[in-house]
Amino acid sequence: MTPLLDIVPFARTLGIEFTSVTAESAVAVLPDQPALHNHVGGPHAGAMFTLGESASGAIVIAAFGEHLGRVTPLAVRAQIGYSKLAMGAMTASATLSRPPAEVVAELDAGQRPEFDVAITLVNAEGVSTGEMTVTWTLRPNR
């Protein structure tokens, strides 16, 4: 997904690849790269966080891209839990918590909507190594 990599060059810096992006879900992959390893030989927690946040951002761009002339999407807060030692390539699968039309309706009503994106982090074998939630808002441009 070139537009996201143009908007957020840090994702490109880490080598994140997007394999699927829709307005409801996104899948992003962080290839196994020794330069991104931590002290136990797996991907650094910061790289895994960036993978998940990037997958969530891809959904936001896909779902609300047509509104970027009037809003700026911003991550408000994020929570991540690591449940198993991650090794090798990692995949983040993200899902939008609310229908985009519902979020846009709040925006049109003069509200500043917030919505969550849930992310599951899995290793190359498909074993879950963590869960993450990123809460986003659409800030009206003034």
Side-chain angles (χ1 to χ4, degrees), residues 64-129:
F64 306 107
E66 69 186 72
H67 302 283
L68 292 181
R70 68 180 180 134
V71 299
T72 299
L74 297 170
V76 175
R77 63 189 155 275
Q79 181 176 3
I80 190 166
Y82 303 100
S83 58
K84 182 174 175 59
L85 180 63
M87 299 298 282
M90 296 298 299
T91 299
S93 298
T95 307
L96 189 64
S97 65
R98 297 171 46 196
E102 184 179 295
V103 175
V104 171
E106 286 182 17
L107 182 67
D108 291 341
Q111 300 171 20
R112 185 168 164 178
E114 287 191 3
F115 52 94
D116 290 338
V117 177
I119 303 108
T120 300
L121 301 166
V122 300
N123 65 17
E125 290 76 40
V127 175
S128 177
T129 64

Side-chain angles (χ1 to χ4, degrees), residues 3-142:
L4 182 65
L5 293 177
D6 289 343
I7 294 169
V8 186
F10 189 57
R12 182 177 47 241
T13 298
L14 293 185
I16 292 172
E17 302 165 359
F18 297 91
T19 60
S20 172
V21 178
T22 70
E24 292 82 29
S25 66
V27 178
V29 177
L30 178 68
D32 188 22
Q33 302 173 65
L36 301 179
H37 285 179
N38 59 21
H39 62 289
V40 293
H44 189 277
M48 291 188 348
F49 178 91
T50 300
L51 173 65
E53 197 273 343
S54 296
S56 76
I59 292 174
V60 172
I61 297 301
F64 306 107
E66 69 186 72
H67 302 283
L68 292 181
R70 68 180 180 134
V71 299
T72 299
L74 297 170
V76 175
R77 63 189 155 275
Q79 181 176 3
I80 190 166
Y82 303 100
S83 58
K84 182 174 175 59
L85 180 63
M87 299 298 282
M90 296 298 299
T91 299
S93 298
T95 307
L96 189 64
S97 65
R98 297 171 46 196
E102 184 179 295
V103 175
V104 171
E106 286 182 17
L107 182 67
D108 291 341
Q111 300 171 20
R112 185 168 164 178
E114 287 191 3
F115 52 94
D116 290 338
V117 177
I119 303 108
T120 300
L121 301 166
V122 300
N123 65 17
E125 290 76 40
V127 175
S128 177
T129 64
E131 300 285 331
M132 182 174 174
T133 302
V134 180
T135 302
W136 289 83
T137 189
L138 300 177
R139 183 192 73 197
N141 297 336
R142 301 200 197 277

